[in-house]
Amino acid sequence: MACVGSIVGDTAQFLRVVQSHAHLSDHLAFTLELDNVEVVAVGDGNLNDVVRVKDKQDNNSSVIIKYAPPFIKCLGPEYPLTVERGTVEYQALVKFNTASPGCCPDTYFYDMDARLICMEDLRSYKDLRREMIKGVCSDEAVKCIAKHIAVVHREYHVAKLSCSDMTDLLKQFGPTELVQLTEQFVFTKPFTKDDPTNKCSTEVSSHAQLVYDNQQVLTNAAKMKKIFLEKKECLIHGDLHTGSIMVCNDSAKLMDIEFAFMGPAAFDVGILIANYIMSYYQHMSEGNRQFAYRTIDFCKLTGKLYCENMTSCSGDTDSYNKNFMSEVAGFAGCEIIRRILGAAHVEDLEGRPSAEVDALGAGVRLITAQERIDTMDKMMIIAHMLT
Ligand code: ADP
Ligand code: SR1
Ligand code: MG
Ligand code: MG
Ligand code: MG
């Protein structure tokens, strides 16, 4: 279902806008006429409407169009949000594909006035979160994700950029409203006991004091927020949870890059690792140890592949990696806690209170021990992810 007032809810008007981008026909095997075209809502994310515009007769001929409503879709029109996120996402898609060709969907046009991004339909790919919930994901896909993100970070890293390129990137990807949204919904509100946007299941509520009554957790969460806001290290994805990744067998693509900005590399890796950890707890709670143990391998493979592809620009590799892992642990802890106590929960844990309680414990331990965690192996031990 499209948002109230969304242009994608009015097919005729929507098609007129799409038709005005004449060169789109180069990417289509069908004509954009009302009679030929079907518009299907596919967006299941928190912020935007996403539709597939397809040939009525042919499931293999389509494009994806993403529309940014002027508010946070999952919270409603009383939570306004500017539409600059569309511009950032379009520019970031281009940058990411330049650094690591094929790492994202191809872009076809961006219509700033209508707030539409038109891009390649990854129709043979599937949402990684949904796949992991089912217990499906290959080591090769995990390696592909780690490599893509390492290459993007490396190519737009402060250590590699000239002064003028750095200035340009900072201008294009400075702190946006979505960076403030992360500051609020990842680092602040979930750690504030009475914030009205927080929610948690009854079973979890009796464990929430693990966070609210623990000064070390609150102090370290505030420290991670400061690193997030102040460390201008490289161009990052900014929202790299498993719902922002699509996989097809051993291949993977990064998408939903509207949160991109010049920030700390460890934020992307921390968010990703946190989502693998939450998957571990989902599968352990269901007795599927086999896939749970594979998520431990996913974390280790991610650490290894990321560091191999990224560290060429980091000077003293050993101390860089140690500090990097400790930041990854801190960010991972914040992400796990906000997915259980904050506004934006994840399907892996939703309706599985015992998994939520165990994952919450892991998040608390990761933030608390953040400074001592300097390898992925230690991170797995502290998260109690053991075979
Ligand atoms: P949001 O910013 O609201 O989270 P996303 O960009 O994550 O929106 O898109 C929401 C969903 O739409 C994705 O999880 C995916 O299922 C689908 N989607 C988005 N972009 C594409 C694409 N290029 N190809 C195929 N499906 C897509
Ligand atoms: C209200 S917070 C919404 C969340 O959805 C986005 O995908 C980001 O993860 C954001 O934190
Ligand atoms: Mg999304
Ligand atoms: Mg998004
Ligand atoms: Mg929940």
Side-chain angles (χ1 to χ4, degrees):
M1 253 264 283
C3 285
V4 181
S6 166
I7 187 178
V8 299
D10 177 344
T11 308
Q13 191 207 349
F14 174 61
L15 270 190
R16 275 195 294 281
V17 174
V18 177
Q19 281 161 345
S20 71
H21 295 271
H23 72 276
L24 178 59
S25 55
D26 300 347
H27 304 281
L28 296 176
F30 61 102
T31 50
L32 281 167
E33 301 299 335
L34 205 50
D35 291 345
N36 302 339
V37 164
E38 208 178 326
V39 179
V40 185
V42 293
D44 54 2
N46 290 329
L47 300 188
N48 303 290
D49 279 343
V50 180
V51 292
R52 169 171 287 128
V53 177
K54 67 177 281 288
D55 185 341
K56 259 189 190 158
Q57 314 296 334
D58 178 4
N59 285 336
N60 294 314
S61 192
S62 51
V63 290
I64 288 288
I65 297 192
K66 181 165 177 174
Y67 165 80
F71 53 84
I72 301 175
K73 187 175 89 172
C74 67
L75 296 180
E78 60 278 19
Y79 286 84
L81 195 61
T82 62
V83 295
E84 66 178 344
R85 63 190 188 276
T87 311
V88 172
E89 176 154 19
Y90 180 74
Q91 290 171 342
L93 282 165
V94 173
K95 287 277 184 226
F96 273 45
N97 267 332
T98 305
S100 190
C103 75
C104 295
D106 257 355
T107 48
Y108 300 147
F109 70 76
Y110 174 52
D111 188 321
M112 197 187 301
D113 296 329
R115 311 174 220 149
L116 301 178
I117 302 176
C118 180
M119 64 183 109
E120 176 188 2
D121 187 355
L122 303 175
R123 71 181 80 81
S124 53
Y125 283 69
K126 292 185 175 151
D127 180 297
L128 177 58
R129 185 181 304 289
R130 298 242 174 85
E131 292 297 280
M132 290 195 68
I133 287 172
K134 290 188 282 178
V136 179
C137 180
S138 74
D139 285 359
E140 292 309 312
V142 165
K143 289 192 213 167
C144 182
I145 296 161
K147 206 168 156 192
H148 280 323
I149 199 66
V151 172
V152 171
H153 287 176
R154 187 187 72 205
E155 293 305 304
Y156 302 114
H157 195 278
V158 63
K160 194 164 178 174
L161 295 169
S162 68
C163 262
S164 75
D165 285 347
M166 182 70 185
T167 309
D168 289 348
L169 275 172
L170 282 170
K171 227 182 262 166
Q172 214 177 354
F173 300 102
T176 61
E177 204 183 0
L178 288 195
V179 174
Q180 289 166 30
L181 188 137
T182 298
E183 187 254 303
Q184 285 295 306
F185 284 91
V186 177
F187 295 106
T188 306
K189 289 170 179 286
F191 297 90
T192 308
K193 195 173 179 186
D194 297 321
D195 189 277
T197 63
N198 287 341
K199 52 184 187 186
C200 77
S201 57
T202 337
E203 295 92 333
V204 172
S205 61
S206 56
H207 299 263
Q209 78 276 9
L210 281 175
V211 171
Y212 303 131
D213 294 349
N214 186 331
Q215 198 47 52
Q216 190 64 57
V217 170
L218 301 179
T219 303
N220 284 2
K223 175 180 141 188
M224 296 319 298
K225 170 158 74 175
K226 192 165 153 56
I227 296 172
F228 171 75
L229 291 173
E230 293 180 2
K231 190 165 184 176
K232 313 245 167 280
E233 185 182 3
C234 59
L235 180 61
I236 67 169
H237 180 290
D239 193 25
L240 195 61
H241 56 85
T242 44
S244 297
I245 297 166
M246 296 187 77
V247 289
C248 178
N249 303 320
D250 292 343
S251 158
K253 301 226 185 219
L254 315 178
M255 31 85 67
D256 195 6
I257 323 187
E258 61 195 333
F259 285 74
F261 82 114
M262 293 298 283
F267 184 71
D268 281 345
V269 181
I271 298 295
L272 183 59
I273 293 294
N275 281 267
Y276 291 153
I277 293 175
M278 289 187 278
S279 178
Y280 171 88
Y281 281 105
Q282 178 215 320
H283 287 285
M284 285 303 273
S285 80
E286 291 173 352
N288 182 5
R289 283 172 184 267
Q290 209 180 355
F291 190 77
Y293 293 162
R294 301 237 3 254
T295 66
I296 304 178
D297 296 337
F298 295 165
C299 292
K300 292 183 179 172
L301 281 172
T302 299
K304 181 172 182 293
L305 266 284
Y306 179 87
C307 290
E308 279 173 11
N309 285 280
M310 168 61 185
T311 42
S312 52
C313 63
S314 60
D316 178 354
T317 304
D318 200 40
S319 74
Y320 177 88
N321 283 349
K322 284 183 174 169
N323 182 59
F324 175 76
M325 281 303 165
S326 115
E327 289 182 1
V328 168
F331 287 132
C334 293
E335 166 74 357
I336 293 171
I337 289 171
R338 75 100 170 202
R339 295 297 191 180
I340 297 164
L341 301 183
H345 289 204
V346 287
E347 280 169 53
D348 320 48
L349 299 182
E350 210 57 359
R352 297 178 174 97
S354 73
E356 282 188 300
V357 170
D358 290 346
L360 184 67
V364 166
R365 290 192 301 279
L366 286 173
I367 296 200
T368 312
Q370 173 266 329
E371 277 175 8
R372 289 186 284 117
I373 301 173
D374 54 8
T375 64
M376 188 57 80
D377 286 351
K378 279 193 201 162
M379 211 178 312
M380 297 296 94
I381 292 168
I382 302 285
H384 293 178
M385 290 166 74
L386 306 165
T387 49

